[in-house]
């Protein structure tokens, strides 16, 4: 039994649309992961530079258009917290990437299977 041409064409178009959407999401997710990894690296470098300073060194953080004197310990705590949050985000993005890669691969496999069968069900 074969599938009518209109139904087959609609099915192929839906699968192709799903594959393209997944491919776009893969690119977006990879870019987000790269940005988060860059943020972590910058936080680590900042933390390393702060650890090399004497504990009595005045440290300032930007607040709007001004700078406020802050203890080094609180800056280190903030850097550690932001780094762990970024790591958690990367973990979530990895899961999202895996989902989109699986969706893309499945869509492509379905598309190939339909084309190989010649539209027969």
């Amino acid at each position: 039994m074969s599938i009518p041409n209109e139904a087959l064409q609609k099915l192929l178009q839906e699968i192709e649309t799903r594959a393209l959407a997944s491919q776009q999401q893969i690119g977006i997710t990879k870019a987000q992961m790269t940005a988060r990894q860059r943020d972590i690296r910058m936080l680590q470098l900042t933390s390393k530079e702060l650890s090399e300073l004497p504990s009595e060194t005045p440290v300032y953080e930007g607040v709007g258009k001004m700078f406020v004197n802050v203890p080094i310990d609180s800056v280190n705590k903030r850097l550690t917290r932001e780094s762990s949050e970024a790591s958690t985000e990367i973990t979530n993005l990895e899961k999202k990437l895996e989902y989109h890669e699986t969706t893309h691969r499945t869509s492509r496999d379905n598309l190939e299977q339909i084309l190989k069968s010649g539209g027969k069900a």
Side-chain angles (χ1 to χ4, degrees):
M1 180 176 169
S2 69
I3 301 173
N5 283 341
E6 297 83 26
L8 182 62
Q9 186 176 7
K10 184 176 180 182
L11 180 64
L12 290 173
Q13 191 174 21
E14 287 177 14
I15 292 172
E16 184 67 25
T17 302
R18 189 179 314 132
L20 288 174
S22 293
Q23 191 172 17
Q24 289 174 341
Q25 288 299 318
I26 288 170
I28 291 169
T29 304
K30 284 182 178 180
Q32 290 172 337
M33 287 175 62
T34 302
R36 287 274 113 211
Q37 289 168 342
R38 185 177 51 246
D39 291 345
I40 288 174
R41 183 70 183 136
M42 288 183 64
L43 291 168
Q44 289 172 341
L45 289 172
T46 304
S47 181
K48 180 181 178 237
E49 287 188 18
L50 283 176
S51 68
E52 295 171 357
L53 296 174
S55 60
E56 65 276 351
T57 304
V59 178
Y60 298 89
E61 282 190 330
V63 179
K65 293 184 178 183
M66 64 181 194
F67 293 92
V68 178
N69 188 358
V70 188
I72 289 181
D73 291 339
S74 67
V75 174
N76 280 328
K77 286 178 186 176
R78 180 185 59 79
L79 293 173
T80 303
R81 186 188 75 244
E82 287 180 11
S83 182
S84 67
E85 288 172 359
S87 295
T88 303
E89 282 185 47
I90 287 176
T91 303
N92 292 336
L93 287 169
E94 286 171 346
K95 292 176 186 175
K96 186 177 177 180
L97 179 64
E98 183 179 335
Y99 168 77
H100 287 301
E101 286 176 341
T102 303
T103 302
H104 183 260
R105 188 172 35 257
T106 303
S107 297
R108 287 291 172 195
D109 291 345
N110 290 341
L111 195 60
E112 287 177 21
Q113 184 180 8
I114 289 172
L115 292 175
K116 283 181 183 177
S117 69
K120 297 178 183 172

